[in-house]
Amino acid sequence: MKRIKPFAPVLAVCLIAATILAGCAEPNQAQGKTVVKFWYTWQGAEAEQMEKLIDEFNSSQDKIQVEGLSQGDLQKQLTAIVGGNPPDLAVHYDENRLASWANKGAMQPLDPYIEKDNYDLSDFLPGALEAVQYEGKTYGLPLGMNTWMLYYNEDLLKEAGLDGPPETIQELKEYSEKLDKTDAKGRLERLGLCTGAHQQYIWMYSFEGKMWDPKDKKVTPTDPGFRSSVELVADNWKRHGAQNMDRFQSGFGKYDSPQNPFFIGKCAMTIDGEWLATHIDRFAPNLNYGIAPIPHDEKHPEAKKVGYMNVNLLYIPKGAKNPDAAWEFLKWLTAKEQMLKFDVALGNLAPRKSAVDDPAFDKVPGFDRFAKYAKEHELKPLPSLPFKEEYLNEIQKQMDQILRGKISLDEGMRKIAEKIQPIADKTMK
């Protein structure tokens, strides 16, 4: 009989114990580094650019290892937070849910880190900073921002005898009607202005409008300026009829393709973001177009210098296992150098004052006009409200009814207030 060596059982126990210990090791530790689980919303080429930055950060130091994951489902983010297993750092497409999530405690305020590191927020554009704050606290930092301007087809304007882009809403309406084109049966062949059925809040600041009264804590869809922005969009539909508009728009091609309606002259003017110029450069390089500030109501000359903007944002979820390390990566990623690399690659505007018109953007189509617009205008996000999603959804719901003539504009605005104010009263106690 083969004799078992006396230390064999001890070794076996040690091996088992080591195996158990390895299996129970802290999951957020790797090779002596603190692991930061990072869920971002970008995909495809944009995700590849983010991974390049993650690799650069990981190579730049030996204490933190960031592990990125493209995860665009915000509901999954919230489920992970509620379930106690969130990432250490995550991204939202825009700021529309920030107040709601902050109000629920799903986002950690960054103020303790900002104070501890004496982190300078003054380089962020005021609107970009306002977008990531709620009730005096900062819940995220923006990496990119968007704003909207008026794109116009110079050849079609010239053909209609129009000299240069409209500067006021009143001129815009005249241009729009002159540029509309219908066939002998009245069917639309071209829209002078494609307003976007769900973009009325982009026009709101052109009328000095507002959708929230912070003093009285009241929703204000009946505010004259907000009402005028809805009316501007509704006028197109009223002039041509819902059936005609639906038929015409159903023939629109894919947005990011050569069949984009603005690229092929179905829309003589449209409002869109800075990224559209890059699409034109790619899909319609021979299009003769211009970019101008969004027109303002001549009754409100002060609105000439105001515009709408939004931001993406990075935040540390409640329950993050390594918030300190996440903050270190967040600081690094939103510094000017990294911000420029990412925003130039994606064609987004940079939310830092020192970066928004950096020469790094010189080769990005149309960026000089958007950068000038961002620096010379007071760009404002929508108000930070914990019920903003419900508010915007209700606006769209009533907007559809108004555009199709099922209810009047005033009835629609009243219904919005009746639905949302009780939610505001409950949420903003």
Side-chain angles (χ1 to χ4, degrees):
M1 175 182 279
K2 190 175 181 179
R3 185 180 178 188
I4 298 176
K5 294 180 180 179
F7 58 83
V10 178
L11 177 61
V13 170
C14 288
L15 287 171
I16 293 170
T19 303
I20 293 171
L21 286 172
C24 297
E26 170 54 57
N28 279 2
Q29 295 289 328
Q31 297 178 342
K33 296 182 179 180
T34 300
V35 173
V36 170
K37 303 285 187 183
F38 176 35
W39 290 4
Y40 53 79
T41 53
W42 299 285
Q43 299 177 357
E46 296 178 346
E48 290 175 9
Q49 186 60 33
M50 177 51 68
E51 288 295 334
K52 287 181 183 177
L53 285 170
I54 291 172
D55 289 344
E56 185 179 330
F57 176 77
N58 288 339
S59 300
S60 70
Q61 42 73 50
D62 59 5
K63 295 181 179 178
I64 300 170
Q65 180 76 19
V66 176
E67 295 181 354
L69 175 67
S70 179
Q71 171 52 273
D73 187 338
L74 299 187
Q75 186 56 45
K76 285 188 177 178
Q77 286 187 21
L78 189 58
T79 300
I81 294 169
V82 172
N85 189 31
D88 299 298
L89 187 67
V91 176
H92 274 199
Y93 302 103
D94 58 40
E95 72 278 10
N96 285 345
R97 297 168 184 81
L98 180 136
S100 171
W101 287 35
N103 201 46
K104 293 172 183 170
M107 291 179 168
Q108 296 190 30
L110 301 178
D111 304 85
Y113 292 110
I114 292 168
E115 292 170 12
K116 176 176 70 72
D117 290 354
N118 197 24
Y119 184 78
D120 184 12
L121 293 173
S122 66
D123 191 36
F124 287 97
L125 291 164
L129 195 56
E130 180 184 340
V132 295
Q133 294 177 329
Y134 173 62
E135 292 195 333
K137 293 182 179 178
T138 302
Y139 285 92
L141 290 180
L143 184 58
M145 73 174 202
N146 306 127
T147 190
W148 282 253
M149 295 182 73
L150 181 75
Y151 285 78
Y152 58 96
N153 185 314
E154 293 198 3
D155 290 339
L156 294 179
L157 262 65
K158 187 177 179 182
E159 184 181 293
L162 300 167
D163 184 21
E167 294 185 5
T168 66
I169 291 292
Q170 287 71 19
E171 290 176 348
L172 180 74
K173 290 180 177 178
E174 291 176 16
Y175 276 47
S176 180
E177 292 188 24
K178 280 188 177 180
L179 290 163
D180 283 347
K181 185 179 179 182
T182 56
D183 65 13
K185 295 182 178 178
R187 293 183 299 189
L188 265 172
E189 293 183 335
R190 181 177 69 211
L191 267 177
L193 173 65
C194 288
T195 55
H198 300 144
Q199 293 181 314
Q200 65 283 348
Y201 48 82
I202 295 177
W203 295 100
M204 178 176 68
Y205 295 128
S206 297
F207 296 93
E208 268 209 306
K210 62 180 181 180
M211 54 191 291
W212 173 246
D213 181 341
K215 182 180 176 183
D216 293 331
K217 295 187 176 180
K218 298 290 183 184
V219 295
T220 57
T222 55
D223 167 79
F226 185 83
R227 186 186 183 285
S228 294
S229 68
V230 175
E231 189 173 34
L232 174 70
V233 177
D235 274 354
N236 254 1
W237 287 69
K238 190 175 180 181
R239 191 163 67 247
H240 299 291
Q243 189 176 2
N244 202 4
M245 288 288 285
D246 282 334
R247 182 200 61 79
F248 178 66
Q249 294 188 152
S250 67
F252 282 6
K254 189 178 175 185
Y255 178 85
D256 54 342
S257 79
Q259 284 71 49
N260 181 302
F262 180 67
F263 302 170
I264 60 176
K266 284 193 171 184
C267 299
M269 300 183 290
T270 188
I271 55 169
D272 217 312
E274 66 277 0
W275 57 85
L276 185 67
T278 301
H279 288 322
I280 295 173
D281 191 56
R282 180 180 178 190
F283 297 116
N286 297 320
L287 181 66
N288 186 20
Y289 73 100
I291 304 173
I294 289 183
H296 66 283
D297 185 357
E298 63 184 14
K299 298 173 188 172
H300 297 281
E302 58 277 20
K304 184 177 182 178
K305 286 292 184 181
V306 180
Y308 166 75
M309 55 87 70
N310 69 10
V311 299
N312 57 39
L313 64 99
L314 295 91
Y315 73 99
I316 299 176
K318 176 187 177 184
K321 294 180 178 59
N322 291 304
D324 295 352
W327 168 249
E328 292 302 318
F329 176 58
L330 176 55
K331 277 193 304 183
W332 180 88
L333 188 60
T334 53
K336 178 182 175 182
E337 182 180 354
Q338 285 70 245
M339 179 179 285
L340 280 173
K341 288 179 182 176
F342 194 64
D343 287 336
V344 169
L346 268 62
N348 282 341
L349 285 164
R352 284 186 176 274
K353 297 173 189 172
S354 62
V356 68
D357 59 349
D358 191 275
F361 287 109
D362 284 354
K363 292 184 179 179
V364 182
F367 246 70
D368 54 341
R369 280 149 286 181
F370 276 92
K372 187 172 187 290
Y373 186 70
K375 292 209 78 167
E376 295 181 354
H377 286 68
E378 180 192 357
L379 300 184
K380 299 194 292 188
L382 298 181
S384 192
L385 301 170
F387 52 88
K388 187 157 64 177
E389 271 194 288
E390 293 98 319
Y391 196 178
L392 295 179
N393 288 339
E394 186 62 21
I395 290 171
Q396 304 319 330
K397 177 182 173 183
Q398 298 305 330
M399 193 74 191
D400 286 338
Q401 298 293 302
I402 293 167
L403 296 182
R404 286 172 173 73
K406 295 182 178 178
I407 58 174
S408 71
L409 195 155
D410 288 327
E411 186 180 1
M413 299 300 99
R414 189 177 66 252
K415 284 190 172 185
I416 294 169
E418 289 173 353
K419 175 73 178 292
I420 301 302
Q421 188 58 51
I423 299 174
D425 292 340
K426 184 178 179 181
T427 313
M428 305 291 283
K429 284 180 180 177

